[in-house]
Amino acid sequence: MAGETYRVESAETTELWSGERADFWSEHVTSYHCRLDYRFVQPGGFRGGTIRQCTDSYQIVDFWSDEIRYVRTPGQVRQDPDEDYRFLVPAQGELVVRQDDQEARLTPGSGALFALGEPFELRHDSSTRAFIMTIPAREIDDPLNRTSPLAAGLDLTTGLGHVVNAMVTGLSHEQDRITGPHFDAVCERIVELLCMLAVGDDRPDVPGHLAEVESLVRRYVRRHAADPELTGATMAQDLGWSLRQVQLALQQAGTTPRDLIREERLRLVKQRLRNPAYQYMSIADLAYASGFSSASALSTAFRRRYGQCPRDVRYEGDR
């Protein structure tokens, strides 16, 4: 399992002789990412450090160093392909990212998502410290329906962006107190929220965007179906969208927030009725534990959906 390989690794150039530091930094950063050109302002005595958290699925590197410019050339893209994305989150100082004729100047409270599958340039001064997260390409390309590089300033000071920022920095603060599965779970959520943030809320009626909203809404409802307080409004608020946007996305798929929530709760109940671990739980307790207001509400909805009552399904599973 990927989570079992969770590692935290630290490195600093101050442990080396000053003449070795630039070469070490070049090899060190390349081992975490891919082939790059390193343009040191003062290679002699260069100072830098990293703290890396990673599993087989995700990587977050907290890094700081003297002034430097990183360049990914077209030749390096061809010779050492890397299609994965990087999410850059400054903690202090300023970084400048250039890619695909776009430039993003990043300071604390902003972020950028860019691809290493195309040439780019990244530079910063000696006051900078930042996090850089590696995200598999499919987790960005599929939800956002794009395969081109993206270099854009993202607002991480309010709303959904602030939540994403807090999750990235929170993983760093808790690096020695979390497990691999926890790290992967939080990273998965960061990627989902980052996709929402990158898409924004300014295209509520675009079919491709609505399909993405629908997909993320379904995943959210499946995870939170047992919450008795779950509604279309609370779901939209947590996801950072308007209720109208959620309704439009589900309407395109032929359902509503209420119907989707009920369907997922019924699926959960049916699954639990057939699970020996729940065989001693009463139907009433099972109803409450699965988000229904009462046993009668569950029985009515269950019979309409499956044509039989919950007890019959449990009985079938015992025969």
Side-chain angles (χ1 to χ4, degrees), residues 67-112:
E67 186 175 355
I68 190 172
R69 184 158 61 105
Y70 302 93
V71 178
R72 175 101 158 131
T73 68
Q76 290 167 339
V77 171
R78 291 192 300 270
Q79 296 165 13
D80 184 19
D82 185 339
E83 299 300 324
D84 291 342
Y85 285 81
R86 301 302 190 273
F87 178 40
L88 192 59
V89 182
Q92 63 185 49
E94 180 183 73
L95 302 95
V96 179
V97 183
R98 291 195 181 96
Q99 185 174 63
D100 196 32
D101 297 324
Q102 298 183 65
E103 177 178 290
R105 289 185 170 270
L106 308 176
T107 56
S110 62

Side-chain angles (χ1 to χ4, degrees), residues 244-263:
R244 174 177 173 271
Q245 190 173 11
V246 171
Q247 290 171 332
L248 283 171
L250 295 180
Q251 181 181 2
Q252 180 175 271
T255 188
T256 66
R258 177 178 295 182
D259 289 345
L260 178 60
I261 292 169
R262 182 175 62 248
E263 181 67 20

